[in-house]
Amino acid sequence: MHGKPTELVASQHLLIYTWLMYQYENNVETRFILHDTSAKEVKDFYTYYNTSVAGGTKIAAAYKLVNKIVEEENLASDYNIYVFQGTDGEDWDTDGKDAIEQMKKILTYTNRVGITIAQSYYKSSVETVVERYIKKSGLLEQKDLIRMDSISSDAEQERLIEGIKILVS
């Protein structure tokens, strides 16, 4: 992911991060995960916001890292967990088998999962791989804990805010 979709996701995540810090009076522990074909945790929002990743995408790698962190640190017993993901909707796992398996684990302990798909300008009229496999999985209908929003690459700040409302409502 690069260019405008990256800018949109980073901007929306900045708004979510700022809102959470304000809403909970800085009593929030945040974790930031970047991924391409592998996933890594970065130390803070500044690093997350200013780091680019290589090409190629395996979304399951990020979900696996989320599950590993939550399990190893026993976070589900002490925290309300919210997971927000931004993607251009591309995934080498075109049927989403690995990603859906990992997402099902995430949904056992989260309060909310919000997925924003910032479509590339040249694909904005086509359903993305991620949209397709998330919808096909039935998770959006089965679980009230997961929300997905798709935005075009020309979205403005007002649309990002509308997207946040969709993800957290």
Side-chain angles (χ1 to χ4, degrees):
M1 188 166 92
H2 64 283
K4 189 66 173 172
T6 300
E7 292 173 29
L8 290 171
V9 165
S11 294
Q12 187 180 55
H13 286 179
L14 176 61
L15 292 169
I16 292 170
Y17 176 70
T18 303
W19 173 74
L20 286 170
M21 296 305 279
Y22 173 78
Q23 180 71 23
Y24 296 103
E25 300 174 357
N26 294 326
N27 192 19
V28 175
E29 287 191 34
T30 54
R31 307 295 276 269
F32 300 97
I33 295 172
L34 295 173
H35 70 90
D36 42 35
T37 57
S38 62
K40 66 179 178 180
E41 182 177 5
V42 294
K43 64 181 180 175
D44 55 29
F45 185 81
Y46 179 81
T47 306
Y48 164 80
Y49 191 79
N50 291 294
T51 303
S52 61
V53 294
T57 303
K58 290 186 179 178
I59 289 177
Y63 294 171
K64 284 178 187 174
L65 183 54
V66 169
N67 285 321
K68 179 181 177 197
I69 290 168
V70 169
E71 183 179 323
E72 287 180 356
E73 298 180 24
N74 198 29
L75 298 176
S77 67
D78 297 324
Y79 293 92
N80 293 320
I81 299 173
Y82 296 83
V83 175
F84 294 99
Q85 173 196 8
T87 177
D88 62 3
E90 298 302 317
D91 192 350
W92 287 359
D93 177 18
T94 57
D95 65 358
K97 182 178 182 243
D98 294 337
I100 294 300
E101 178 184 326
Q102 294 301 315
M103 178 56 72
K104 286 179 179 178
K105 290 178 187 176
I106 290 171
L107 290 169
T108 65
Y109 57 78
T110 55
N111 290 57
R112 169 75 70 218
V113 172
I115 302 169
T116 297
I117 299 174
Q119 294 184 343
S120 299
Y121 68 91
Y122 60 92
K123 293 186 178 181
S124 62
S125 63
V126 178
E127 188 174 62
T128 67
V129 169
V130 174
E131 285 175 293
R132 189 170 38 257
Y133 70 62
I134 291 286
K135 287 177 182 177
K136 186 178 177 185
S137 75
L139 291 175
L140 294 170
E141 293 81 27
Q142 296 169 9
K143 300 282 188 176
D144 193 39
L145 304 174
I146 184 171
R147 301 274 193 280
M148 183 171 62
D149 184 36
S150 183
I151 59 177
S152 66
S153 62
D154 60 352
E156 299 291 333
Q157 184 172 2
E158 295 79 25
R159 179 60 180 90
L160 295 180
I161 292 169
E162 180 185 325
I164 292 169
K165 291 176 184 176
I166 291 168
L167 299 179
V168 301
S169 66

